[in-house]
Amino acid sequence: PTSKFVTNSPWKSWRFKAGKRSLIDAFKDAFPNEKHWWRTKFPASNHPKKTWYWQDVVYWAEYELLNRTNHTFPDGRVPIPMAIGDDQLDPGHYVGYTRRQ
């Protein structure tokens, strides 16, 4: 199955590129003292009773979210909505993605 994308905003598609730093380095920049990351649960996830530590989130992002083989848009590119303003969608606009399960 392929992923689906819906939006009422203008959009472009991009291919993920290899980063200049690792995701764990970016995470440590955002949370320099790892103790500031609160253990949390995501009740709407596939693992509603799991307690997520920062290492779990990094692993999920690297191997589930950003793993290139997991992207199932037809040409391997990911559509991204474009806004007139900063980094938020414009008022009244929406975006939705599905993901291969």
Side-chain angles (χ1 to χ4, degrees):
T2 60
S3 296
K4 303 293 182 196
F5 167 75
V6 295
T7 187
N8 64 345
S9 290
W11 59 277
K12 293 182 180 179
S13 62
W14 306 91
R15 220 178 267 290
F16 281 121
K17 296 181 181 177
K20 296 185 184 205
R21 62 183 178 158
S22 72
L23 189 58
I24 199 161
D25 289 338
F27 191 91
K28 287 183 176 186
D29 285 346
F31 298 95
N33 180 350
E34 294 154 4
K35 294 177 184 169
H36 289 130
W37 171 262
W38 298 343
R39 296 180 310 248
T40 192
K41 293 183 187 245
F42 297 100
S45 75
N46 293 347
H47 307 287
K49 295 181 182 181
K50 175 181 174 57
T51 299
W52 290 73
Y53 295 88
W54 70 269
Q55 297 96 326
D56 298 318
V57 174
V58 170
Y59 179 87
W60 175 84
E62 282 185 337
Y63 297 101
E64 295 290 326
L65 181 64
L66 298 177
N67 180 354
R68 290 173 185 244
T69 61
N70 208 18
H71 295 294
T72 56
F73 289 101
D75 60 358
R77 298 169 67 90
V78 177
I80 308 289
M82 301 284 109
I84 295 171
D86 295 332
D87 65 346
Q88 301 294 317
L89 288 175
D90 297 323
H93 288 231
Y94 62 85
V95 62
Y97 295 89
T98 63
R99 193 184 108 170
R100 177 185 70 178
Q101 298 296 321

